[in-house]
Amino acid sequence: MSDEPQRTRILVEDLKPGMFVVEIFGAQGKTNLSRPGVVKSEEIVHDLRKRGIVEVCIDPARSAAATAPQAPAAESEAPVGEDPDSIADKTPEGRIRHLYHSAQDLQKQFLEQVRHGESLDMALLSEVADDMVNTLFSHGDAMLCLARIRAKDAYLMEHSMNVAILLANFGRHLGMERDTLKQLTMGGLLHDVGKVMTPDEILHKPGKLSEEEFAIMREHAMHSRLILRASAGVTDVMVDVAANHHERIDGTGYPRGLGADDLSVYSRMSSIVDVYDALTAERVYKKGMPSTQAFRILLEGAGNQFDAELVSQFIKCMSIYPPGTLVLLSNQRLAIVMQRNRKEPLKPLVKVFYHASRRHYEDVKLLDLSKPSLTTTIKQAVDPAEYDIEMERFL
């Protein structure tokens, strides 16, 4: 009989305390585990999922032993997760995820400072924005993938984060200088800071606002402008993004009803990006729409509400299937778009992980649809909810 341990591969969501883990797998495949061990609590399972672990291999025999009453773990069976470095996520995706959450933490800190009437420390935000812009140049598609992560109860934070990423990506596509991209990023992160002045019952109302409530909601752009103008180190670009992202070139926007002649290119960019992210966002009271449908709405408003040339350029820079889009392939597999293909937008690099007709997960693999030997094509973008798929597990 072989002395090799038995191994059963399961989804991390099926992992239970008491199971003995011998290997872990992220979205890109096997990930470093400093040592095998017993999962001692649900918190460790949660931590594994936060770190982007998708599947694990367990040893059923040692798992059974681990669940026995008062069974002490041997030194070689140390609990998984007790060592903070037990999972060394040093991949680019891991570093980007860490940056994303660091920026979110800073946003929370700033919002609390505004609530308490404190001044904002732009030096901290400047450092984070620098890192975000640098990462956009080195791993731009991975950043855009992360911007697809949605939590229905954290819209304000994630919307601002995503607007910052999308604005910087848009500016890069337009050939803007790095310092301008940094200012766009900072403006995006703070563009809705004025919403801290909006009553919670209006801000979080799960339905259509009354005319009176909407009038109060519209004041947030004015509050954002005043808050930023009162903060040291804030530039005109940042203020343009925060103050004017709800303005429209035909003068029908708010809070001041500015027209085309009064709106800078940064204001025009921010109005497009803000609407796009809002349309594609998943909320408690509405489903997010596919990127293709959001693009159609932007095109319908081009020339009236939005700058027509900038709408065209925004769609071009995002591609037909933006990074992070879930697509159905011609071979009945589901995949996530990981990298755009500038020359052939219909043939991006995708991550395949699910059989749509058989309704089960498969081994994760990357597939370059542009390879001449491949006949697999994208049929359409699909809603992850149709298959009960949590996108963040694979991004």
Side-chain angles (χ1 to χ4, degrees), residues 313-332:
Q313 288 298 322
F314 177 69
I315 295 173
K316 185 177 180 180
C317 88
M318 293 298 291
S319 192
I320 298 171
Y321 299 110
T325 301
L326 184 66
V327 294
L328 175 65
L329 304 180
S330 57
N331 61 4
Q332 286 301 300

Side-chain angles (χ1 to χ4, degrees), residues 77-94:
E77 298 183 358
V80 170
E82 284 194 356
D83 180 357
D85 296 320
S86 63
I87 300 170
D89 191 357
K90 298 179 181 179
T91 63
E93 291 82 3

Side-chain angles (χ1 to χ4, degrees), residues 353-380:
F353 64 94
Y354 192 85
H355 199 298
S357 59
R358 296 176 184 173
R359 296 268 176 168
H360 66 70
Y361 288 91
E362 298 185 333
D363 287 343
V364 176
K365 63 178 180 180
L366 291 175
L367 194 64
D368 185 349
L369 298 180
S370 68
K371 287 187 176 180
S373 58
L374 283 180
T375 58
T376 306
T377 59
I378 294 176
K379 292 183 66 176
Q380 63 189 59

Side-chain angles (χ1 to χ4, degrees), residues 252-284:
T252 61
Y254 66 85
R256 292 179 289 170
L258 301 179
D261 292 341
D262 299 311
L263 296 173
S264 69
V265 64
Y266 313 115
S267 298
R268 299 177 189 215
M269 290 168 63
S270 64
S271 68
I272 293 168
V273 166
D274 181 74
V275 167
Y276 171 81
D277 190 71
L279 290 173
T280 56
E282 188 86 3
R283 303 294 299 274
V284 173

Side-chain angles (χ1 to χ4, degrees), residues 234-250:
V234 173
T235 67
D236 289 341
V237 173
M238 294 166 61
V239 173
D240 275 356
V241 171
N244 301 330
H245 61 279
H246 287 296
E247 300 286 1
R248 301 291 182 259
I249 62 172
D250 61 1

Side-chain angles (χ1 to χ4, degrees), residues 31-189:
T31 301
N32 182 41
L33 175 67
S34 64
R35 61 174 182 265
V38 177
V39 174
K40 303 296 282 186
S41 68
E42 289 288 354
E43 286 74 19
I44 292 170
V45 177
H46 180 67
D47 183 61
L48 289 172
R49 294 185 66 177
K50 281 178 61 179
R51 293 169 185 248
I53 303 305
V54 176
E55 294 180 303
V56 299
C57 269
I58 63 168
D59 183 336
R62 296 164 91 179
S63 296
T67 57
Q70 300 179 339
E75 184 176 350
S76 62
E77 298 183 358
V80 170
E82 284 194 356
D83 180 357
D85 296 320
S86 63
I87 300 170
D89 191 357
K90 298 179 181 179
T91 63
E93 291 82 3
R95 292 194 296 270
I96 293 169
R97 192 177 296 271
H98 176 74
L99 173 61
Y100 185 95
H101 292 304
S102 295
Q104 280 192 323
D105 289 342
L106 187 58
Q107 281 181 290
K108 293 176 185 176
Q109 176 184 323
F110 275 24
L111 291 176
E112 284 302 311
Q113 288 176 333
V114 171
R115 286 190 180 99
H116 292 91
E118 301 172 6
S119 59
L120 303 181
D121 185 352
M122 289 299 155
L124 289 174
L125 192 67
S126 178
E127 292 179 11
V128 169
D130 259 336
D131 288 342
M132 290 176 64
V133 170
N134 289 336
T135 303
L136 188 70
F137 275 87
S138 61
H139 298 91
D141 285 337
M143 282 282 283
L144 289 172
C145 278
L146 205 58
R148 300 285 296 189
I149 292 179
R150 305 287 190 185
K152 295 177 183 178
D153 58 350
Y155 173 74
L156 177 58
M157 300 299 301
E158 290 175 351
H159 174 63
S160 295
M161 186 71 188
N162 296 345
V163 165
I165 294 172
L166 294 171
L167 268 177
N169 178 65
F170 194 7
R172 181 190 178 193
H173 172 79
L174 295 174
M176 294 180 175
E177 298 291 333
R178 280 198 184 223
D179 185 62
T180 302
L181 301 185
K182 176 180 170 181
Q183 293 178 60
L184 287 171
T185 302
M186 295 172 72
L189 289 171

